[in-house]
Amino acid sequence: MKIRTKFIISLILLVLLPAIFTLFITNNFLSDNFNFVHFFDTYYDIFDNFSNISAEFENYIDPYSNSPEYFLTDHFQRDALKDFSSTFLSVEVKENSIPQFTTYNDKIENLSFLERWLFRSMDTGQPKIQYSLNHHHYELPGTGTIDVMLKIDSSRLEVAYKGFEKVFFFLYGAFNLFLLTLLIAWISNPIKRAIRRLTYTTNEIRRGNLDAKLSYEDEDDFQELAKSIESMRQSLSTSMKKQHILELEKKELIANISHDLRTPITSIRGYVQGLKDGVARTEETQREYLDTIESKTYMIESLLNDLFDITRFDTNSIKLNKQVVNLKDFLTDCVDELESDVAKIGGKLSLHFIIKDTKIQVDPEKLMRVFINVIENSIKYRSERPLEVIILANQDDDGVFINISDNGIGVTDDDLAKLFDRFFRSDLSRNLDIKGSGIGLSICREIIASHGGKISASANDSNGLTISIRLKGYDEAPQL
């Protein structure tokens, strides 16, 4: 529950519950249900029932109005003591203004411990003050008179009122304090628990424990903060995992690059040393040595270019020079450029398309790089059969798709999912001692992704590999 809602509920309860408590006090709830507080409630009983008490006394006296001597009898005294005598009420009978009988008792009886303590704590040394609630005056034959009076002891009422004030304000204060304590606990305890949970998780994150998952199901003001902290933890965890993977890739990169550079450099050094030592004495041998050195430098240059591209993709610094090109013309140019490389090893590169004038918006140089890398992989991983590479292009409602299929050695199902991972090389390529850095297809993935497309790999019926590329088509906006 939101803190604001709790505060509103608390304010309502702080107003309503004390009012209800006051009603319980002033309507004899305590005296009716708890024996130790009836003394001060009686004060309210008397004033709430003045008219009833006076009427009852009137009804009791009225039948004996014609024989007032009855009020001097023991029978009347017993009834008066029983029915009209209490802590505050008393019946007094006077004959010729001389008191003959009274039910007033100087000692207050039937008090609980709390009432006795309250009564003793009051100033009881004040004069006794009484006034008549009901007064009947009777003239006797001759010169005699009889007065029957129902009296209220105002002194005791004052003591009761003061006692009631003390008890009432004490209970009222205690009740409000108890209520306020409960409401504060109701509001603050969830806040403290939430802060402890959030603090624990943030401290764990600060210590580097990114596995300290924060599960927060309470729908309160801290829920969004908890979600943010958990999202931050997940982001940090993902970032740390990526960083760890990058560190491993960096180490693997250094190892692979060191290996891939060492081989051509060693070869170059050997041929240079051969030229210096005069091993290549004929012009033809010398040209062969120089051609080998040149090809090795091209190999080093290609490797360094791949590394440079990987770095630019990692830093998002690569820029695309997009142009609107005709897909059919572009693929024809690709085949023309790469056909000779395939033919050198006795293979064949062919193009099939089910498209007409389909246009795409791409960076031609970067997309050409994708085809070069894929075709080079087909050449590297060819089987003993003559290599056949088929490029098939088609179009649907989602754009264009291009399949590049070969009949090479293929890859296992487990390796298909890893084929575009950086520096990945299958066990088969390692066993066959096929040279390569393992970053060619990862560069292809980055280039296609930067164009908003997708690239995937699958096995084909020729036991080779099919690389599938999907790109968005280009719709020319109508000119107005």
Side-chain angles (χ1 to χ4, degrees), residues 324 359 361 473-480:
V324 178
K359 294 182 179 180
Q361 188 175 25
Y474 176 76
D475 294 329
E476 292 185 275
Q479 296 182 353
L480 300 178

Side-chain angles (χ1 to χ4, degrees), residues 1-3 6-7 10 179-196 216 218 220 222:
M1 186 181 294
K2 301 292 185 181
I3 296 176
K6 286 188 174 183
F7 270 117
S10 299
L179 176 62
L180 187 61
T181 302
L182 287 180
L183 293 176
I184 291 175
W186 181 52
I187 295 174
S188 63
N189 286 344
I191 295 176
K192 290 189 289 186
R193 286 196 301 269
I195 292 176
R196 282 197 297 268
Y216 197 91
D218 298 340
D220 56 19
F222 292 95

Side-chain angles (χ1 to χ4, degrees), residues 252 415 418-426 430 437-438:
E252 187 175 358
D415 289 342
K418 308 173 186 175
L419 201 59
F420 296 96
D421 291 349
R422 195 173 297 178
F423 309 116
F424 173 75
R425 297 181 67 193
S426 66
R430 297 180 189 275
S437 62

Side-chain angles (χ1 to χ4, degrees), residues 320 375 389:
L320 299 179
I375 300 300
V389 181

Side-chain angles (χ1 to χ4, degrees), residues 410-420 424 456-459 464-466:
V411 295
T412 64
D413 292 339
D414 292 337
D415 289 342
L416 279 175
K418 308 173 186 175
L419 201 59
F420 296 96
F424 173 75
S456 60
S458 60
L465 184 68
T466 295

Side-chain angles (χ1 to χ4, degrees), residues 238-250:
T238 303
S239 177
M240 291 297 293
K241 289 178 181 177
K242 288 182 178 179
Q243 184 176 353
H244 180 66
I245 293 173
L246 288 175
E247 289 293 331
L248 294 178
E249 289 180 348
K250 188 183 295 184

Side-chain angles (χ1 to χ4, degrees), residues 192-210:
K192 290 189 289 186
R193 286 196 301 269
I195 292 176
R196 282 197 297 268
R197 292 169 62 184
L198 297 176
T199 302
Y200 172 79
T201 302
T202 52
N203 285 337
E204 288 298 308
I205 293 174
R206 179 175 58 84
R207 296 187 187 101
N209 179 17
L210 298 178

